[in-house]
Coordinates of all heavy atoms in Angstrom, one line a residue:
S376 N 5.2 -5.2 -26.9 CA 4.1 -5.9 -26.5 C 3.9 -5.8 -25.0 O 4.8 -5.4 -24.2 CB 4.2 -7.4 -26.8 OG 5.2 -8.0 -26.0
T377 N 2.6 -6.0 -24.5 CA 2.4 -5.9 -23.1 C 3.1 -7.0 -22.3 O 3.5 -6.7 -21.1 CB 0.9 -6.0 -22.8 OG1 0.4 -7.3 -23.4 CG2 0.1 -4.9 -23.4
A378 N 3.4 -8.1 -22.9 CA 4.2 -9.1 -22.3 C 5.6 -8.7 -22.0 O 6.2 -8.9 -20.9 CB 4.2 -10.4 -23.1
V379 N 6.2 -8.0 -23.0 CA 7.6 -7.4 -22.8 C 7.6 -6.3 -21.7 O 8.5 -6.3 -20.8 CB 8.1 -6.9 -24.1 CG1 9.4 -6.1 -23.9 CG2 8.4 -8.0 -25.1
I380 N 6.6 -5.5 -21.7 CA 6.5 -4.5 -20.7 C 6.3 -5.1 -19.3 O 7.0 -4.6 -18.3 CB 5.3 -3.5 -21.0 CG1 5.5 -2.8 -22.3 CG2 5.0 -2.6 -19.8 CD1 4.3 -2.0 -22.8
N381 N 5.5 -6.1 -19.2 CA 5.3 -6.8 -17.9 C 6.6 -7.4 -17.5 O 7.0 -7.5 -16.3 CB 4.2 -7.8 -18.0 CG 3.9 -8.4 -16.6 OD1 3.3 -7.7 -15.8 ND2 4.2 -9.7 -16.5
Q382 N 7.4 -8.0 -18.4 CA 8.7 -8.6 -18.1 C 9.6 -7.6 -17.6 O 10.4 -7.9 -16.7 CB 9.2 -9.3 -19.4 CG 10.5 -10.1 -19.2 CD 11.1 -10.6 -20.4 OE1 10.5 -10.4 -21.5 NE2 12.2 -11.3 -20.3
C383 N 9.6 -6.4 -18.2 CA 10.5 -5.4 -17.7 C 10.3 -5.0 -16.2 O 11.2 -4.9 -15.4 CB 10.4 -4.1 -18.6 SG 11.0 -4.3 -20.2
V384 N 9.0 -4.9 -15.9 CA 8.6 -4.6 -14.5 C 9.1 -5.7 -13.5 O 9.7 -5.4 -12.5 CB 7.1 -4.4 -14.4 CG1 6.7 -4.2 -12.9 CG2 6.7 -3.2 -15.2
H385 N 8.8 -6.9 -13.9 CA 9.2 -8.1 -13.0 C 10.7 -8.2 -12.9 O 11.3 -8.6 -11.9 CB 8.6 -9.3 -13.5 CG 7.1 -9.4 -13.3 ND1 6.4 -10.6 -13.2 CD2 6.2 -8.4 -13.1 CE1 5.1 -10.3 -13.0 NE2 5.0 -9.0 -12.9
E386 N 11.4 -8.0 -14.1 CA 12.9 -8.1 -14.0 C 13.5 -7.0 -13.1 O 14.4 -7.3 -12.4 CB 13.4 -8.0 -15.5 CG 14.9 -8.2 -15.5 CD 15.5 -8.0 -16.9 OE1 14.8 -7.4 -17.8 OE2 16.7 -8.3 -17.1
A387 N 12.9 -5.8 -13.2 CA 13.4 -4.7 -12.3 C 13.2 -5.1 -10.9 O 14.0 -4.8 -10.0 CB 12.8 -3.4 -12.7
A388 N 12.0 -5.7 -10.6 CA 11.7 -6.1 -9.2 C 12.7 -7.2 -8.7 O 13.2 -7.1 -7.6 CB 10.3 -6.6 -9.1
R389 N 13.0 -8.1 -9.6 CA 14.0 -9.2 -9.2 C 15.3 -8.6 -8.9 O 16.1 -9.0 -8.0 CB 14.0 -10.2 -10.2 CG 15.0 -11.4 -9.9 CD 15.2 -12.4 -11.0 NE 16.4 -13.2 -10.6 CZ 16.9 -14.1 -11.4 NH1 16.4 -14.3 -12.6 NH2 18.0 -14.8 -11.0
A390 N 15.7 -7.6 -9.7 CA 17.0 -6.9 -9.6 C 17.1 -6.2 -8.2 O 18.2 -6.2 -7.6 CB 17.2 -5.9 -10.7
V391 N 16.1 -5.6 -7.8 CA 16.2 -4.8 -6.5 C 15.9 -5.6 -5.3 O 16.0 -5.1 -4.2 CB 15.3 -3.6 -6.6 CG1 15.6 -2.7 -7.7 CG2 13.8 -4.0 -6.6
E392 N 15.5 -6.9 -5.4 CA 15.1 -7.7 -4.3 C 16.2 -7.7 -3.2 O 15.9 -7.6 -2.0 CB 14.7 -9.1 -4.7 CG 14.2 -10.0 -3.6 CD 13.8 -11.3 -4.1 OE1 14.4 -11.8 -5.0 OE2 12.8 -11.9 -3.5
P393 N 17.5 -8.0 -3.6 CA 18.5 -7.9 -2.5 C 18.6 -6.6 -1.8 O 19.0 -6.6 -0.6 CB 19.8 -8.3 -3.3 CG 19.4 -8.9 -4.5 CD 18.1 -8.3 -4.9
V394 N 18.4 -5.5 -2.5 CA 18.5 -4.2 -1.9 C 17.4 -4.1 -0.8 O 17.7 -3.6 0.3 CB 18.3 -3.1 -2.9 CG1 18.3 -1.7 -2.3 CG2 19.4 -3.2 -4.0

Side-chain angles (χ1 to χ4, degrees):
S376 67
T377 54
V379 170
I380 293 170
N381 189 68
Q382 182 184 4
C383 290
V384 175
H385 287 204
E386 186 184 12
R389 181 187 167 184
V391 301
E392 185 176 34
V394 177

